[in-house]
Amino acid sequence: MNRNPLLVVGSVALDSVKTPCGEVERAVGGSAVFFSAAACNMSAVVPIGVIGEDYPMDRLQNLKECGIDLTEIKQVSGKSFFWSGEYSEDFSSRETLVTELGVFENFDPVIPPHLTDSRCLFLGNIHPTVQSNVLKQMNRPQLIVCDTMNYWISQYKEELLALLHRVDILMVNDSEIRELTGESNLLCASRIVHSWGPKAVVVKKGEHGAVFFGTDWSFAVPGLLLDGVVDPTGAGDSFAGGFLGYLSSKEIFTREHYRKAMVYGTVMGSFAVESFSIDRLETISKQSILKRVTELRNLTSFD
Amino acid sequence: MNRNPLLVVGSVALDSVKTPCGEVERAVGGSAVFFSAAACNMSAVVPIGVIGEDYPMDRLQNLKECGIDLTEIKQVSGKSFFWSGEYSEDFSSRETLVTELGVFENFDPVIPPHLTDSRCLFLGNIHPTVQSNVLKQMNRPQLIVCDTMNYWISQYKEELLALLHRVDILMVNDSEIRELTGESNLLCASRIVHSWGPKAVVVKKGEHGAVFFGTDWSFAVPGLLLDGVVDPTGAGDSFAGGFLGYLSSKEIFTREHYRKAMVYGTVMGSFAVESFSIDRLETISKQSILKRVTELRNLTSFD
């Protein structure tokens, strides 16, 4: 394992979620938490985030036992970021019921000196200006991956494009890249993103899998076939955690490593959706991860 | 190449189609035509269908030059099946403007004695009772694959279930299997179909690829990444033609053959959408087919 820890900047939230399989109240969530819980199986990881006084500290201790360094999650006075949503009967859509930013509204991440040399950085879905401010504090990491969402695309596109100029991989879902580029064909859309700076785009498509678009090669992975989906919340961030956790454990980043990173992203995303919150991610063994990698190989290989 | 010809029973239509890339008037189409044009690269194929007096006979001659035996496409007095539709700007949906069944309304396929021993049979999307009547005329083929659509599922479910009992593989798209089984999870839906008789289900998902669900194993293939989609009409039937054309060329049907058949289905579907009607399918070389098989391997293989 590479000793240089993987850095993630993002939300640390409390989620109340209702799905056809049940519901959960104020469970730990947020992009930095799902990402870390997925990545920690393969790499040391340091999440940078902010929580309020209401955050359940015992749950954070569990994360610590997973090997996640929690010292950069700062507790401040106020309420934690709270999100509440409900999924449709077939999981195909969800409705956001409540979003209370709380202390996350003024999140101004500070990268401590001992972490400015981190080799791999994930910029979770936050304001593109905040993402840029993080980059300014770093000595250029070898690999910068960033996420975003429709709100930033429609309201802060200029800031987002300025950020993308300095990012290696944009990781978004299919509707986001279509909105960002105004192009419905994913291959054509990825070429537009390449022209803005990123050397690669990863497009996440939920149950349909994900596609890596390099400038002159691509890799596609279907979703694993699951019969026990409980809660899709956090699947994308868990994918990112598996993807970067795998890469962070490698000395160099080859095409074969990127392919395998897509596989690990898919596998970690598949675990994430099998429970509410990070419950399933916390209990995975290395063996069960390898078993799903093999499953994915059996699902896709021919000849 | 296996000498026993592949049999397909389905529509032989004239299609007027408008897409963001242009439009075409009364072009040859229909499930039996797309299927045959895709399958004929790998197998002898005999389409069974009916046309009216208005069918452009010169276009049929082109099909003959592709090696398709046209003697069982019967011309009768009346008008040919006509369909007209328009696709949305991003190809994600289409609106049917006109459906005139014409001579297809009373289509009552007769299997001539020399074809009742055919080894592989594709039952295109027609009334399930007509599909059953075809089966009754056959000595049990080794491999029976059938398609259907939402209309038959909602209006003639009993007849469809009676048919499925005698079918080896159901090949439908994702919305169809969900409607048929009332189950949104594809893995769970496939198990329901297995309980009705078919030993396998192939679910087509358009740009997201396709999945083969056997009773105890699965195979998933993503869509090829295309930047030149012109008209998606007939993609599903071309997939079926590639799938069964490949299998028909094999002496036995192993798991590895089914996997490869999914690959050939995907490749033939990718050609079909690159032009209106069967224009692209008619001009494919064996080399360009093999090139796309290699592309798909490069797109999906890891380690």
Side-chain angles (χ1 to χ4, degrees):
Chain A
M1 188 181 281
N2 194 294
R3 302 288 290 272
N4 189 307
L6 168 56
L7 217 59
V8 47
V9 182
S11 59
V12 181
L14 294 173
D15 295 338
S16 289
V17 186
K18 192 173 177 183
T19 83
C21 298
E23 53 191 303
V24 71
E25 293 279 334
R26 300 177 71 77
V28 297
S31 59
V33 169
F34 278 105
F35 180 96
S36 300
C40 67
N41 292 285
M42 290 160 280
S43 171
V45 51
V46 184
I48 294 181
V50 64
I51 53 175
E53 292 149 329
D54 56 348
Y55 213 84
M57 295 307 287
D58 52 332
R59 284 294 283 149
L60 279 192
Q61 288 311 309
N62 282 3
L63 288 178
K64 206 169 171 180
E65 281 163 30
C66 295
I68 299 167
D69 177 349
L70 297 176
T71 50
E72 299 307 321
I73 295 182
K74 302 301 184 191
Q75 192 164 30
V76 299
S77 73
K79 286 200 161 188
S80 300
F81 180 19
F82 174 72
W83 178 81
S84 171
E86 181 169 347
Y87 287 81
S88 63
E89 198 55 45
D90 62 357
F91 289 102
S92 69
S93 64
R94 77 176 182 194
E95 188 189 356
T96 289
L97 302 172
V98 182
T99 305
E100 291 170 2
L101 291 177
V103 298
F104 192 60
E105 190 164 7
N106 298 310
F107 180 40
D108 185 17
V110 174
I111 312 299
H114 71 283
L115 291 174
T116 55
D117 281 324
S118 296
R119 203 168 70 105
C120 298
L121 170 67
F122 181 66
L123 296 167
N125 167 30
I126 43 179
H127 194 304
T129 302
V130 177
Q131 292 174 314
S132 283
N133 286 343
V134 169
L135 278 194
K136 284 178 194 156
Q137 300 174 57
M138 306 282 297
N139 297 322
R140 178 56 161 100
Q142 271 183 50
L143 188 60
I144 303 167
V145 181
C146 92
D147 188 8
T148 191
M149 70 183 287
N150 295 358
Y151 177 71
W152 311 121
I153 293 170
S154 64
Q155 303 297 316
Y156 297 91
K157 190 162 175 184
E158 201 176 316
E159 291 85 343
L160 182 57
L161 292 182
L163 168 74
L164 287 184
H165 194 63
R166 297 189 292 155
V167 156
D168 298 304
I169 302 179
L170 173 66
M171 183 178 283
V172 287
N173 67 37
D174 42 0
S175 74
E176 287 159 352
I177 191 174
R178 285 178 171 131
E179 184 172 342
L180 177 62
T181 61
E183 168 63 55
S184 62
N185 180 298
L186 295 182
L187 181 58
C188 301
S190 74
R191 290 183 189 138
I192 294 174
V193 176
H194 293 150
S195 76
W196 292 335
K199 66 189 175 203
V201 187
V202 174
V203 179
K204 298 169 289 180
K205 307 195 293 177
E207 66 163 328
H208 300 302
V211 186
F212 182 103
F213 293 96
T215 51
D216 61 350
W217 66 286
S218 301
F219 178 70
V221 58
L224 278 155
L225 306 170
L226 304 171
D227 56 7
V229 175
V230 170
D231 175 14
T233 308
D237 293 306
S238 303
F239 179 98
F243 180 88
L244 262 175
Y246 178 82
L247 287 172
S248 179
S249 73
K250 301 297 165 191
E251 293 298 326
I252 52 167
F253 308 134
T254 65
R255 282 192 188 186
E256 208 43 61
H257 288 151
Y258 283 120
R259 287 168 180 269
K260 207 68 177 285
M262 291 288 290
V263 169
Y264 275 85
T266 301
V267 165
M268 300 315 288
S270 78
F271 283 119
V273 304
E274 290 183 330
S275 74
F276 286 102
S277 187
I278 52 167
D279 295 356
R280 183 72 184 96
L281 289 175
E282 281 182 320
T283 58
I284 313 170
S285 64
K286 296 225 160 149
Q287 267 186 323
S288 56
I289 294 173
L290 290 176
K291 198 173 158 210
R292 288 222 175 158
V293 171
T294 301
E295 261 178 55
L296 199 49
R297 187 178 287 112
N298 291 339
L299 184 67
T300 59
S301 65
F302 59 93
D303 255 9
Chain B
M1 188 182 281
N2 194 296
R3 302 288 290 271
N4 189 307
L6 169 56
L7 216 61
V8 49
V9 183
S11 60
V12 181
L14 294 173
D15 294 338
S16 288
V17 186
K18 191 172 177 183
T19 82
C21 298
E23 53 192 304
V24 71
E25 293 279 335
R26 300 177 72 77
V28 298
S31 60
V33 170
F34 279 104
F35 180 97
S36 299
C40 66
N41 292 284
M42 291 160 279
S43 172
V45 51
V46 184
I48 293 180
V50 64
I51 54 175
E53 292 149 327
D54 55 348
Y55 213 84
M57 295 308 286
D58 52 332
R59 283 294 282 149
L60 279 192
Q61 288 311 308
N62 283 2
L63 288 178
K64 206 169 171 179
E65 280 163 31
C66 295
I68 299 168
D69 177 351
L70 297 176
T71 49
E72 299 307 322
I73 295 183
K74 302 300 185 191
Q75 192 165 31
V76 300
S77 73
K79 288 200 159 187
S80 300
F81 181 18
F82 174 71
W83 178 81
S84 171
E86 181 170 347
Y87 286 82
S88 64
E89 198 55 45
D90 62 356
F91 290 102
S92 68
S93 63
R94 77 175 184 195
E95 188 188 356
T96 290
L97 303 172
V98 182
T99 304
E100 292 169 2
L101 291 177
V103 298
F104 192 60
E105 189 164 7
N106 298 310
F107 181 40
D108 185 17
V110 175
I111 313 299
H114 71 283
L115 291 174
T116 55
D117 281 325
S118 296
R119 203 168 70 105
C120 298
L121 171 68
F122 181 67
L123 297 167
N125 167 29
I126 43 178
H127 194 304
T129 302
V130 177
Q131 292 174 314
S132 283
N133 286 343
V134 169
L135 279 195
K136 282 177 193 155
Q137 300 174 57
M138 305 283 297
N139 296 323
R140 180 49 161 104
Q142 271 183 50
L143 188 61
I144 302 167
V145 181
C146 92
D147 188 9
T148 192
M149 69 182 289
N150 294 358
Y151 177 71
W152 311 121
I153 293 169
S154 64
Q155 302 297 316
Y156 297 92
K157 190 161 176 184
E158 201 176 317
E159 291 84 343
L160 182 56
L161 292 183
L163 169 72
L164 287 184
H165 193 64
R166 297 189 292 156
V167 156
D168 297 304
I169 301 180
L170 173 67
M171 183 178 282
V172 286
N173 68 36
D174 42 359
S175 74
E176 287 159 353
I177 191 174
R178 284 177 171 133
E179 184 171 343
L180 177 61
T181 61
E183 168 64 54
S184 61
N185 180 298
L186 295 181
L187 180 59
C188 301
S190 74
R191 289 183 189 138
I192 294 173
V193 175
H194 293 149
S195 76
W196 292 335
K199 66 189 174 202
V201 187
V202 174
V203 179
K204 299 170 289 181
K205 306 195 294 177
E207 65 163 328
H208 301 302
V211 186
F212 182 103
F213 292 96
T215 51
D216 61 349
W217 67 285
S218 301
F219 179 70
V221 58
L224 278 156
L225 305 170
L226 304 171
D227 56 8
V229 175
V230 170
D231 175 13
T233 308
D237 292 307
S238 303
F239 179 99
F243 180 88
L244 261 174
Y246 178 82
L247 286 173
S248 179
S249 74
K250 301 297 165 191
E251 293 298 325
I252 52 167
F253 308 134
T254 66
R255 283 192 187 185
E256 207 43 61
H257 288 151
Y258 283 120
R259 287 168 181 269
K260 206 69 178 284
M262 291 288 290
V263 168
Y264 275 85
T266 301
V267 165
M268 300 315 287
S270 78
F271 283 120
V273 304
E274 290 184 329
S275 74
F276 286 102
S277 186
I278 53 168
D279 296 356
R280 183 72 183 98
L281 289 175
E282 282 182 320
T283 59
I284 313 171
S285 65
K286 295 225 161 152
Q287 267 186 323
S288 57
I289 294 173
L290 290 176
K291 198 172 158 210
R292 289 222 174 158
V293 171
T294 302
E295 260 178 56
L296 199 48
R297 188 178 286 112
N298 291 338
L299 183 67
T300 58
S301 64
F302 59 93
D303 254 9

